[in-house]
Structures are given as C-alpha cells and as structure tokens.
Amino acid sequence: MYRALIQSGSIECDAYERGDHGVDLYEDDEFVAFVPYENLLAVVDESAEGDEERSIL
C-alpha cells in the first residue's frame, strides 16, 4: 500500500508509476489518478516498518 502525499491531502493506492511529468496511481490494477510532480510532496510505502535509527541520504 502506498500513500501519495499532495498539498491538499493524500491518495492511497496499490501501485504507482513515475512518468516524465508526474506519477500515475493505481488501485487493483485500475488507474486512479495522475499527480503532477509540482503537486506531489512524497510517495510513502505504508508497509515499510519504521526504524528507530534513521539516517538522511
């Protein structure tokens, strides 16, 4: 499960694809939304477990 964070909230999706101008979001292999990079803050993997020691890359 992924969460696309945008300026006005967030959109949950199962998968996403990066393109030249933004990301395409998919739920159950069906297109849900297109988010331009200008409006995208982050795509977060909700299934990743947190780590107490975090590093900045």
Side-chain angles (χ1 to χ4, degrees):
M1 175 69 68
Y2 296 97
R3 182 179 304 272
L5 303 177
I6 56 176
Q7 296 167 350
S8 61
S10 66
I11 303 170
E12 291 185 359
C13 60
D14 289 336
Y16 69 96
E17 291 181 4
R18 292 186 282 178
D20 291 337
H21 303 287
V23 294
D24 294 326
L25 307 177
Y26 297 93
E27 182 76 33
D28 297 326
D29 295 327
E30 292 188 29
F31 178 78
V32 174
F34 170 76
V35 180
Y37 288 127
E38 294 85 18
N39 298 331
L40 183 66
L41 301 175
V43 176
V44 179
D45 184 351
E46 293 287 323
S47 64
E49 293 187 26
D51 187 4
E52 302 237 355
E53 289 188 36
R54 296 181 183 207
S55 61
I56 299 173
L57 301 176

